[in-house]
Amino acid sequence: MLKEIIRKEMLEHLLGLRFAIACVLCLAVVLTSLFVRGLDYSQSLDDYNQNIVMDRQDLESAREPWHLLWTNVRINLRPNPMKIFVQGISQENGGTVSLRGQMPALVVPQDIANTSIPLFPLVDMVFFVGIIMSLMAIVFGYDAISGEKENGTLRLLLSY
């Protein structure tokens, strides 16, 4: 009997309009997030490739070995392709380490020219699962409990 009640409730929720709308909205949020984060990654990768070319030209133009000791030698960090899905601990995606003979290493993060970041908060997969999916679980749970109370079967279910 419990199996039939669970089956009925699951089918009622899965075939409802609220579940279909929630699925469409979730798909739209995930695809939009992947698109924006993908654009950020491609911009970071373009910047990385340009920096590699410029740094190689600087190194090839050095005539004497002491020239490398007294000028900045830059080492570029390749952007992480997994930043498309999750931002991670650090917000930087790639960057440059500047080395000079008499000074400690200096890490310079890349600037991303994304104009949508000030308008919208960062939505990655961690934000999506943590916030949006939790809110959907609360909404569907509330709907299930209030639906049982309206039908009068909540007392019957609790008595079992």
Side-chain angles (χ1 to χ4, degrees):
M1 172 150 171
L2 184 62
K3 185 177 177 181
E4 292 297 322
I5 293 174
I6 292 172
R7 183 177 176 278
K8 175 189 124 341
E9 290 295 322
M10 291 298 288
L11 282 176
E12 184 178 315
H13 287 294
L14 290 176
L15 297 176
L17 181 63
R18 183 177 291 170
F19 184 75
I21 291 172
C23 286
V24 169
L25 286 176
C26 287
L27 184 66
V29 167
V30 168
L31 291 179
T32 304
S33 171
L34 288 176
F35 177 71
V36 170
R37 306 270 312 156
L39 289 177
D40 289 345
Y41 174 72
S42 65
Q43 178 67 36
S44 297
L45 195 60
D46 291 342
D47 292 344
Y48 168 77
N49 290 331
Q50 290 173 357
N51 289 339
I52 289 286
V53 170
M54 289 187 333
D55 294 340
R56 186 169 293 141
Q57 290 171 353
D58 289 346
L59 288 176
E60 289 173 355
S61 68
R63 301 281 180 208
E64 294 86 17
W66 59 268
H67 179 73
L68 296 176
L69 186 64
W70 297 106
T71 61
N72 282 339
V73 176
R74 291 180 303 269
I75 300 171
N76 294 296
L77 304 172
R78 185 173 181 83
N80 188 354
M82 297 307 270
K83 292 273 186 169
I84 292 174
F85 301 109
V86 178
Q87 177 183 353
I89 296 173
S90 66
Q91 295 182 358
E92 294 86 23
N93 193 9
T96 302
V97 176
S98 182
L99 300 174
R100 185 176 262 186
Q102 69 272 19
M103 297 181 73
L106 176 67
V107 178
V108 180
Q110 271 186 341
D111 291 331
I112 297 175
N114 186 355
T115 57
S116 66
I117 287 179
L119 297 176
F120 303 104
L122 181 69
V123 178
D124 58 355
M125 294 302 142
V126 172
F127 176 82
F128 178 74
V129 170
I131 303 296
I132 296 176
M133 294 299 280
S134 298
L135 290 174
M136 285 178 47
I138 290 171
V139 166
F140 285 124
Y142 175 77
D143 183 45
I145 291 173
S146 66
E148 292 298 326
K149 186 176 180 184
E150 288 176 6
N151 293 339
T153 57
L154 183 61
R155 289 184 185 165
L156 179 63
L157 285 174
L158 290 176
S159 69
Y160 284 127

